Amino acid sequence: MSAPEAERIALRVADAEGGQRVDKFLAEHSLLSRSAIARLARDGHVRADGAAVEPAYKVRGGQELVVDVPALVIGDPGETEVVIEAPVERDSDDRRRMVVRAGGREAVTRFKRIASWENNADPSSGAVGGRLSLLLVKPVTGRTHQIRVHLAYAHFPIVGDPVYGRRGDTSGLGRQFLHAWRLTVRLPHAGERTFTAPLAPDLRAYLATLGTPATRDAKFAEVA
């Protein structure tokens, strides 16, 4: 996914911290595990000075690191918080995809609906039964494509997802509806800080086409 500037959270490497692996550095300065950072890097979500890097990349002092952490999706799980515990592994028939399968690596995702729209949404857009919901998603583990795979497995495919989404998606987004909203990090000289980023303009515009939500909670006002 090519993420807009609004979705990016940046960290600058102190001179004394140069030479570390990027997955180790980010794990020490965030509440994400090293394995989760490694998975994000392999999916192209970690960049150094604008270029995607692998988990073993060695950071340099003064470098700016950018992490895109998926947090928001559209689907329809209902009002209750949902926890998906389903093992994930690479699809033997298509190595570009991941699948839920017994014997795969442990994967856990938590999510909760924070707003929903009734049947004024286009059913072919990827919504379940024509109903759309905005979700706040928290991946507990960091497997490749975990959020996308788990939501599709639960029959709540992400709008705009070209791999795991509904066939014939007509949302017009051009990308999956995922957004890096909040990340808590531990900075070398500033302690623990939380960074938030507003919805990107194209995602905000898409929500506007849906009209007034039928349901919403307090978190919706913070996110959207």
Side-chain angles (χ1 to χ4, degrees):
M1 177 180 68
S2 177
E5 287 291 332
E7 295 189 25
R8 296 175 178 176
I9 300 170
L11 299 173
R12 191 165 295 279
V13 181
D15 290 340
E17 296 178 302
Q20 297 185 60
R21 286 174 53 116
V22 69
D23 56 351
K24 180 176 184 293
F25 173 83
L26 290 172
E28 289 177 349
H29 294 291
S30 76
L31 299 184
L32 295 171
S33 68
R34 186 168 176 175
S35 63
I37 292 293
R39 294 295 178 181
L40 288 167
R42 293 190 185 103
D43 280 352
H45 293 302
V46 177
R47 291 181 293 283
D49 291 341
V53 295
E54 292 294 322
Y57 175 83
K58 298 294 182 66
V59 300
R60 302 190 305 273
Q63 235 178 357
E64 182 182 71
L65 301 180
V66 174
V67 186
D68 299 332
V69 184
L72 296 173
V73 300
I74 290 185
D76 190 8
E79 350 182 296
T80 307
E81 182 179 49
V82 177
V83 179
I84 298 178
E85 299 182 13
V88 171
E89 68 177 16
R90 197 165 296 280
D91 189 345
S92 57
D93 296 324
D94 184 349
R95 302 296 293 174
R96 298 168 299 178
R97 294 171 52 94
M98 305 297 288
V99 294
V100 169
R101 186 171 293 156
R105 300 190 67 186
E106 177 189 12
V108 182
T109 304
R110 309 176 72 93
F111 59 90
K112 186 177 187 301
R113 191 182 71 187
I114 61 174
S116 65
W117 291 260
E118 298 291 352
N119 292 332
N120 58 332
D122 179 356
S124 65
S125 67
V128 176
R131 183 181 177 92
L132 291 172
S133 295
L134 188 64
L135 311 181
L136 189 59
V137 182
K138 299 179 181 179
V140 179
T141 53
R143 308 306 177 203
T144 301
H145 296 181
Q146 177 180 311
I147 291 176
R148 299 162 67 190
V149 174
H150 271 178
L151 288 173
Y153 171 74
H155 304 294
F156 307 127
I158 298 170
V159 170
D161 190 332
V163 178
Y164 304 98
R166 287 282 180 86
R167 292 182 179 179
D169 185 311
T170 60
S171 63
L173 275 174
R175 65 182 178 103
Q176 61 262 33
F177 196 116
L178 289 174
H179 174 73
W181 176 57
R182 175 172 288 178
L183 175 66
T184 299
V185 300
R186 288 186 293 272
L187 300 176
H189 305 296
E192 187 174 290
R193 296 181 61 186
T194 296
F195 298 86
T196 59
L199 279 178
D202 61 332
L203 303 186
R204 188 179 295 274
Y206 182 76
L207 290 185
T209 68
L210 304 179
T212 303
T215 63
R216 70 177 81 184
D217 66 15
K219 191 66 68 177
F220 176 71
E222 292 184 53
V223 174

